[in-house]
Every structure is written in structure tokens, then in C-alpha cells.
Amino acid sequence: MLATVVAVLAAIYFGLRQLLWATQDAREPPAIETALPFISPILGVLRWGKDYTVQLRDRTRAPITTLRLPGFRLYLINSPQLVAAVQRQTKLLTFQAMQDSFARLICELSPTAIAAQDRTTTTWMNGTTQSPSHIIYKALLPGKHLDDMNRVMVEMLLQRVDSLVGSGEGYTGGLFEWLKREITVATTEGIYGPGNPYRDAKVRDAYWTYDSGVQFLCLSPQLAVAAQTARRFLAATWCTYYSTSQHLRGSALIQQRHAWLTSEGFPAADIAALEVGNGIAILSNTVPTAFWLVYHIFSNPAIYAACHAEVAAHVVTSPSSDPSARTRTLDISALKSACPLLLSTLKEVLRTYAVGVGLRYVSTDHLLGGIHLLKQGATVVMPTAVQHSDPSLWGADVAAFDYTRFAPDAETQKQRARINPMAFRAFGGGSTACPGRHFATTEVLVLVAVLLMRFEVRPAAGAHKGSQSTAWPVATIKKARMTSVMPGPDADVRVAIAQKAEDRGVKWVWELSAGAKGVVLAAEDGDVEIEGREGGREGVI
């Protein structure tokens, strides 16, 4: 019997090897992880998790490779030059198809909605119209609509943070939990308007339950009972929001999104279901980004001093001999255009922690760069961590957190000139660069500026799990989910947030100048006006 089992296993093994050899075109990128054909990549993911693609890059040092799994193939790209080549092929190598597939996994769409997705994507693929994503998210481009959203969001954010002053007690508790609550309310207020369902704590809790189960919804819905329950509750909530016309009091983004989906034949229930999934785009990455920026600024005296000085330089204090009549004014636009070290710290946070994966569906056979054959039906994979952790792109200190890395002084400017712009992938890239990056970045920068100017943020007793130490702990992302784009910390950090003594009695005025330029965050932004640029949904924020 043992001999029979061995013979069967040997036959299966050699049969799989033969199948791999027969179906792998010599012009395709070299196949790797073939010790156990079609199985080794699965074992690699189970062993290394989010670090698997970096391990493969370090072992192969190849510009592009093929991973063969049961039923499909992945083309793993390590070269920034090939990333650029992929981004130029917006239809042959399409992100829209991947987005549609993801929405079906996490939003539980009806056959009618799926047919509408296929129809709109096919129309775009075969014509000259803009992609569905470009149409839906135009309101997020720098301009009047974005300014309107920013003003509502900032007003709510400032009200929420001001409550720490009004109570006189500040806040003591988990930093991530506090940011999650405040950012969820402020962000959604700017988007959904006075009828914002996220004002209800039950809705917020349901969303974050849903968010925590997304990876299981993608793998097997049976493993995500709590997430499914939360999804149904949220879908019903959004049905009420739209059926009572609350969206007409919301942002241009929501109004345009609803109008387009309706015009394309999406049923009302599916529009509500898609809005549940839309929370991932507007919340799931903004909160962790804010956490890591606050964590690094306030836990490092050098970073704190540099960022505080930059923001303080743009604060205008009204002359008054009466301390109770002092007014301090800050134009928020300065945070995005005249605080290079603050922006550099933010970008270094994104470089260090972003672990998202850019995906493209190969719609037809294509020779990438005129060399590498990509077969129809395969998936192109561009891991952010592969680009962000490559010493050949960033230098020998790639593993260090350097808050000046992106700062425009003479030394780092010279260094930046040697870095391929495709090396920074926190917001995706090309025509699908994250359109929400300007909205989310404004929110994060305002929040940090308020904390810098008005509050002390220190670790509280118990900041270390199981310890009463009041030193800043080392926060990690070893437990990050495979579906994470910007992961939060493995364990929350307890902090004490209290108003600074010199801030007492001060009235703050936060101005937001309108403008057609967005903050320069990615290669797609450059130094030109962004009005009219198309956007997608890929990326950290």
C-alpha cells in the first residue's frame, strides 16, 4: 500500500511538472517557486504573509517573474521601469476589471448590478469614453468640489478636537482608537453631508467590524459571519440614506456617484451595497496613515521640533495685551505647500508602512516592454513594499525612518533626482493614482497641525502592553492583513492628550484658501495644476 501511495504521489508530481512545462511559454517571465508545482506559492504566502513578495525579490533579483497557482498565473513586477510600462497600458492591462471583481467579493452585488458593471467596463474598453472610476471620482480632483468637501470636513474635525478643550480633561486611551473615531466622523461628514449615517456610533462600529472581515469575505464568506452581518446592516442604512434623498445634501462626489450609477441601471439596493464598500476607500487607509504620522512626530523630539517650527512659522497672532483676546490664524493651504519637512515625514510614513498591491488584469496577450509575454486572463502584481524597500532605489538606509528623505534641501534634492519616480507607490500610479489622496492628506495634515499647536501628546501608563512604562513603545505591523494597503499597529498605543498651557484662552481661526493645485504627493502630481486629471481608486488613501 505504501508503494502504491508513493507511486501515485510521484505520478501527480511529475504530471504537474509536465503541465507547468507545457503551459509556460518561453517568452513569459521566468516561473519561480516551482519546487511543488502550483503549490509552492501558496506555501510561501502562508509562511511569509505580506513579506512574501519582498522575499521573492531578494531571492531572484529579476525585473519580472511568474507565479503559477492552481487555475491562474501572476506576473510579479520588481522593476520600476516595468511598472511604468504597465501604467501606460490602461486598457490592455486594466485596473477597472480588478476593481469590479473586488466589489463583487466585498459588496454582495445582484446579477443585475454585475451585468451593469460588465456593460460599463466593456463600453469603456471598446470606445473613447472615460472609465467608470474616472467618471465617479472626478469630484475629488483639486477644485471647487474638493474645496467644499475639505471645508466641511475640517470644520467637523476641529469641532471634534475642540471637545478635548471643552471637557478640560483631554483624552487618555488608545491613540489608534481615538483617531479612528474622530477621522471617521470628520471624513464622512465632508462626503455625506448633514444626513451622514456615520454620526451614529452603531454605524461606525458596524463599518469597522465589516472592515476587519474584508480579507475573509474575499477568501470565503463563510469565515466572515460578523462581517456579513455588519454588511447587511450597513447596506440597509445606505438604502435609507438614498431613499430619503439625504445624498442631495451631501457632497458633489456622492451626488455625481449616485446619479451615474442610477443612469447606468444599477438597482437602488446595489448602489447602497457599493456604498458600504466605498468606506474602504475613504476610511481604511486614512486612519492608519494619521496614526503613524502622529506616532513618529510625537515620539521623536527631532521630528517634533522640526514639524512644530514649520507649522508655527505660518501662524499669525493678533496683537493684544489681553491674553484672553488673543487670536491665532493659520491658513491650512500652507501645510500643503510650505511645510516641506512635515510633508516629507508624511511621505516617509507612507513609504515605510504602505503594503498595498497594484493589480492589473491582462485583457489580451501583450508583450510588456516588447520583451515579456503577458497572457490573457493573468494578473499583473505590483507590490508597493517591493518598490519601497529596495536599497537599489532608495540607498543603503532604506530600512531607516528618515523624516528628511523627501525634503527639498540641497542634499536630499540631489538624492531624489536619482530615485525613479515609480519607486514611490503609496498612491498607486498612472491614470489610476488614488483620487482621494488630496482630500485625505488635507485631513491628516490639519489634524497633526492642531495637535502640534495646541496639545501635548504623551504615552500614558500602560502604553506598553503589560507594562506601566510611560515611554513610547515600538509599534509594529507584523500582523498586518494580506488585504491591507496601509496597516494599523499590531497593538494600540495608550496616550494622554492634553491642552498646552500656552493655548488656554486662545481663539483659533483656521482658513482654507481655494486653489486649483493639489499637494505634490506622487509622480502624477508634479508641479502642474491637477484640475481635470483623471483618477482611480488604487492606493493607500
Side-chain angles (χ1 to χ4, degrees), residues 52-205:
Y52 184 46
T53 55
V54 174
Q55 292 288 331
L56 293 179
R57 178 205 66 196
D58 292 343
R59 275 188 271 156
T60 65
R61 303 308 304 183
I64 181 172
T65 55
T66 304
L67 284 177
R68 298 293 302 275
L69 289 92
F72 62 100
R73 53 189 9 105
L74 305 176
Y75 298 121
L76 182 63
I77 294 184
N78 298 321
S79 161
Q81 290 77 18
L82 290 182
V83 168
V86 168
Q87 292 181 174
R88 288 193 290 269
Q89 303 296 332
T90 56
K91 292 187 177 180
L92 292 177
L93 308 175
T94 170
F95 175 65
Q96 185 66 48
M98 303 304 303
Q99 179 171 284
D100 290 348
S101 297
F102 184 62
R104 295 171 193 181
L105 288 172
I106 67 170
C107 296
E108 199 173 22
L109 301 181
S110 71
T112 302
I114 292 173
Q117 275 188 330
D118 291 339
R119 183 175 61 254
T120 56
T121 297
T122 300
T123 299
W124 165 64
M125 292 282 286
N126 296 333
T128 58
T129 60
Q130 294 176 324
S131 72
S133 293
H134 294 159
I135 295 170
I136 290 174
Y137 295 103
K138 273 191 171 181
L140 285 170
L141 299 173
K144 180 183 182 305
H145 294 322
L146 180 59
D147 287 343
D148 291 342
M149 289 173 57
N150 279 335
R151 288 190 180 94
V152 175
M153 173 271 292
V154 169
E155 182 180 356
M156 176 57 71
L157 183 65
L158 295 174
Q159 288 178 10
R160 303 282 298 186
V161 176
D162 270 347
S163 67
L164 297 180
V165 176
S167 68
E169 298 178 359
Y171 169 81
T172 300
L175 175 60
F176 189 81
E177 282 302 313
W178 180 74
L179 290 169
K180 185 165 68 174
R181 181 176 66 247
E182 306 309 323
I183 288 176
T184 298
V185 174
T187 299
T188 56
E189 195 74 12
I191 294 173
Y192 298 112
N196 177 21
Y198 283 96
R199 290 182 179 182
D200 187 338
K202 292 181 180 179
V203 175
R204 297 197 298 270
D205 291 343

Side-chain angles (χ1 to χ4, degrees), residues 11 38 40 55 90 101 107 140 179 182 216 231 265 271 278 286 294 344 376 389 440 469 484 488 533:
F38 307 100
S40 288
Q55 292 288 331
T90 56
S101 297
C107 296
L140 285 170
L179 290 169
E182 306 309 323
F216 300 111
R231 181 171 63 183
I271 295 176
N278 200 39
T286 307
V294 172
S344 178
Q376 181 179 4
S389 64
S469 172
S484 295
R533 180 181 295 279

Side-chain angles (χ1 to χ4, degrees), residues 11-21 36-39:
I12 293 174
Y13 174 77
F14 286 108
L16 291 176
R17 292 207 67 84
Q18 181 67 18
L19 177 62
L20 180 66
W21 176 83
L36 290 175
F38 307 100
I39 305 300

